[in-house]
Amino acid sequence: MLTTERRLLESTPLEDSKPIPRSNRRRRVPRSSRTLNILISVALVLGAFATAFPFFWMVTSALKTRSEALAYPPKLLPETITFDHIAELFTQLDFTKYLGNTVAVVLISFVGLLLMAMAGYALAKFDFKGKKVMFFIVLVTMMVPVQVTMIPTYLILNGMKLTNTLLGIALPTLVSGFSIFLFRQFMLTIPTDMLEAARLDGAGEIRIFAQIVLPLAKPILAVQAILTFIAGWNSFLWPLIIANDQNLYTLSVGLALLNDQIATDPSLQMAASSVMVVPILVIFVIFQRHIVQGFSLSGLK
Amino acid sequence: MRARLVPYLFLSPAMLMLTAFGILPLFVAAFVSFTNMNLAGLGNWSRIRFIGTTNYTELFSDEEFWQSLGNTAFFALIGVPGVIVLSLAVALMLNRGSGRFHRALRAFYFVPAITAIVAIALVWGYLYNTQFGLLNYLLSLIDVPPVQWLSDPLMAKFSVILVAVWRGTGLNIIIFLAALQAVPKEYLEAAEIDGANEWQRTIRVTVPLLKFAVLFVTITTIIAWLQFFDEPFVLTHGGPLGATTSVSLFLYNQGFAASQFGYASAGSVVLFLIIAVITALQLRSRRTNVDY
Amino acid sequence: MSRIKTMTVAAIAAATLAVGASGCASSPATSSGSSANPVSGPVTFWVMGDSATKFQDLVKPFTDETGIKVNAVAIPWDSIDQKFTTAVASGNGPDLLQIGISKLRNFADSGSLAPLQDKVGDYGSLAAENFIDGMAGDDTKVNGDTLSVPWVSDTRVLFYRSDILNANGITNPPATWDDLRSDAKKLTARGEGQFGYYVPQWDSALPVAMTWGQGGSVVNNDGKIDFNTPEFQKAVDLYTGLYGDKSVPTDSNFDQTQGFVSGATPMVVSGPYLAKAINDAAPELKGKWSATTLPAGETNTSLLAGSHIGMMANSAHQDSALKLLDYLSKPATQLEWFKINSELPAVKAALSDSSLSADPLNAVYAKQLENAKVLPLVPNWDGGVGKDMLKALNSIALTGSDRNSALEQLYKSTSDVSTK
């Protein structure tokens, strides 16, 4: 990468022609009193604990026996740890299949990422007739209540013969106004001169997009990747409605199935919920460095 | 490749889908709102009758609809500032360090945002249970009488708001964190040299520079809270006595449980218009920050 | 501005075209593209809850014998409305589906269920007399059509902690509602946080059963809902009286299993699902609790609930589906399903089978089912009449609303609802 590109990548945007001198990046916050530091750290830890506590409860309940789960007064930690509930999910119920379907839906959703990046790029870096209207439409779709879209969307998918297919499940949420908006904000900060220079050199538009824009957009792509993963992983409504066949159910639907009309098995449900959360957490931990960096370069100053 | 066509080509796949699955249904709903469509009509279109604005007049004289509007306003007025202030505060605190400790804490704050709503309902339903739940048990240890978290009409509103705020801060904290990383340190140093203490630096320098992030978070949070659905649906089913029924939940009940699609569509159109007007007002008041 | 106008018009046109096109594409003549001979299936069956595998096991002998394949799909209880709606909208549904009785009227009104009255004569097991009284035939017809046949039954009986009752001088569970009220008062006197009975605030069947118990009905001779009767008044007295006695907890999210197991609420009217929950949660309580038929006013009519099975009108496998229905209604199949999935049979012969009634609890359920009625088959009982009734009762009992005005409001909002 050229040095100018690297500096732009690491600079803070909005005024995209003023790179911040290196000396100012990532400097530690000016020292304040130690007591304040400790106080704030304690507050953060307490807050983090309170925030994550329900999650912690969920996981321990998944590992408790059923009678312990219902015990009153409630005990925090299980006296006997049992993996039976988790095992039951995969052996007696169909969670392996649901897992496979969920992964497939997530992968299809990633195609949407590309399409949204293209749309954001067009809205950011081109001037054309109807641009305002298109952007307006993007904003409007963020405001439409979900219940409104259900039946018409189903009818459309039915007409396209996509019901009971994985593609049909992934399609309604493939693109979202929120993400296009976010892409656009980021791409506003890509210096147009660079693109013009490439055009003058004779590079085609697709090549410019693929070899200049996308690499520069890596951080925001990482962010959107996480968000797409989360949405696809937790998707419930469309898998439920579009699938006529239990073989296409995703993890969320499998979890809902465990909610028998009145006689539920809470331990099993907690186990299923834990299974669903853990992979996302892992992905988040791995990618979070990219996330924060990504948002900082998205013109959100 | 024709230069003029390029933006359209890049835009069209995404726009096509947005239009098909976002805009089109809106028009269908608007159309249906003037009919008496129900389950029978859905199965056989010849059974649908055009009834003009009857749905709308019925809607506006429906006590439950007004109750749900009031509830939604209550939720939004408390929840939105709650989420924004909390997210900003936590982000400001987390931003004071960049080491492993702080990065680990981020994960904790993000967890609620990534948990499936079904799981959240289970856990919080248990925590909130009046007789056997953990929260009241902890209160009993310090001799506080049990709180009717989900059974008292007023308390239930706050309980539901709490869960929604808990869930909503995660993503916004990350957004603010990123925005904070982009604040030029030179400004802060200059302020420190001028004698401002940390609090003053934060309020006078940092926060104003976050204007756009705050606007972005505000708009998306308001839109989300006006469409408030998940938490009341799973925690209280809109009860007790309709105290936690939001407009979205009301529409869901009308549309699916009662299969009154015409009526529910009218409500959806009204909700959409409310959201659109509020969003437009916000954008207009900060016109400079949204480049076209 | 005109640009927006043109786009709007274009969008509406496109919308209409798209919806119209999809409507045409899904003309309901044929269901899911099965190239097999339409008569021999496969028959798609929607079963509620996570019971698909169990159902497949149940129908294996049927498939072996007839060669008709059955494809069971599990539907989450909370989502059946959405699934049915989209099935109706697209014409793409199952062949058979399990229908909770509370949803029967709604689904019937859609016009998407096939009338069966002319067909049931061809199949021995489907005759109305075979099923529990009140569950088949005229009792569950909608607008003169038989649109479903019974599948599994459910009822409500009185569960009680025999150990706690005995310890407090009550040797036999209450046989009348008056007895129950006085017993409950005695048990509440045990101390702080202890009650005698539990009234679930979401249970719309209980006040109706109380009305039936007084010899009354909530439906008048014209088939319309009518709460303005002396019997319902007595039921209101009983319901609100229990709260007035402070014998019942006032929390809406009180967990009846935990209450029963911990002894806080040693008596409760509930269904067989509670027995299962108690056994799972507290096996050590075995022998310390039991159940008996509902307390009586003049009689002790209880709730008749459960599920039916309906056939979609546009099913392409109607003959095979009916054969399956016939198989499912045989006493042997019903008993087998009870063994596998613990849902009570709807067929009288199965219910009185000795293998079932050997367990005393089952005997209680069977006895109660001899005197049980379904809730009125009005549209959207749960979200309409039932909800309004509970709202009125709970507002009187819990928030101290004026009784007369709450009831007047109830009469007004429900007087036009009809079972026809």
Side-chain angles (χ1 to χ4, degrees), chain C residues 174-212:
Chain C
T176 69
W177 284 110
D178 289 331
D179 287 342
L180 185 130
R181 263 184 91 169
S182 60
D183 286 348
K185 270 200 218 155
K186 228 189 270 180
L187 291 164
T188 308
R190 289 179 292 157
E192 183 71 37
Q194 307 283 58
F195 301 96
Y197 182 68
Y198 173 54
V199 173
Q201 291 173 20
W202 42 261
D203 189 0
S204 61
L206 186 63
V208 178
M210 287 176 175
T211 311
W212 290 335

Side-chain angles (χ1 to χ4, degrees), chain A residues 7 10-12 19-30, chain B residues 181 183-187 189:
Chain A
R7 284 185 89 191
E10 293 160 348
S11 73
T12 55
I20 302 264
R22 282 188 177 251
S23 57
N24 271 350
R25 274 189 320 108
R26 291 273 186 149
R27 252 255 289 265
R28 249 192 270 149
V29 171
Chain B
Q181 310 248 325
V183 170
K185 303 295 182 276
E186 355 169 61
Y187 294 177
E189 283 175 10

Side-chain angles (χ1 to χ4, degrees), chain A residues 30-158:
Chain A
R31 286 265 201 107
S32 344
S33 70
R34 269 202 99 195
T35 6
L36 186 61
N37 276 355
I38 295 180
L39 275 175
I40 293 196
S41 297
V42 167
L44 277 179
V45 168
L46 285 177
F49 181 71
T51 310
F53 178 74
F55 168 74
F56 173 74
W57 185 263
M58 180 177 82
V59 173
T60 51
S61 296
L63 300 173
K64 282 186 194 159
T65 57
R66 181 128 184 232
S67 43
E68 260 193 75
L70 280 176
Y72 186 80
K75 295 193 184 52
L76 206 61
L77 294 169
E79 276 176 24
T80 29
I81 297 194
T82 167
F83 290 101
D84 287 348
H85 304 299
I86 300 186
E88 193 181 333
L89 290 175
F90 290 96
T91 55
Q92 295 185 335
L93 306 170
D94 273 324
F95 268 71
T96 342
K97 203 184 302 177
Y98 303 153
L99 183 62
N101 290 333
T102 311
V103 171
V105 168
V106 167
L107 288 176
I108 298 179
S109 311
F110 276 97
V111 173
L113 262 194
L114 190 64
L115 299 179
M116 292 193 282
M118 283 164 51
Y121 172 56
L123 285 172
K125 285 287 147 192
F126 290 86
D127 261 319
F128 52 95
K129 256 192 188 176
K131 180 161 136 173
K132 271 196 189 180
V133 175
M134 299 282 177
F135 187 61
F136 177 69
I137 290 182
V138 167
L139 286 181
V140 164
T141 56
M142 295 198 304
M143 305 188 266
V144 176
V146 169
Q147 293 80 25
V148 174
T149 65
M150 247 192 68
I151 296 180
T153 306
Y154 184 81
L155 288 177
I156 293 176
L157 286 172
N158 195 48

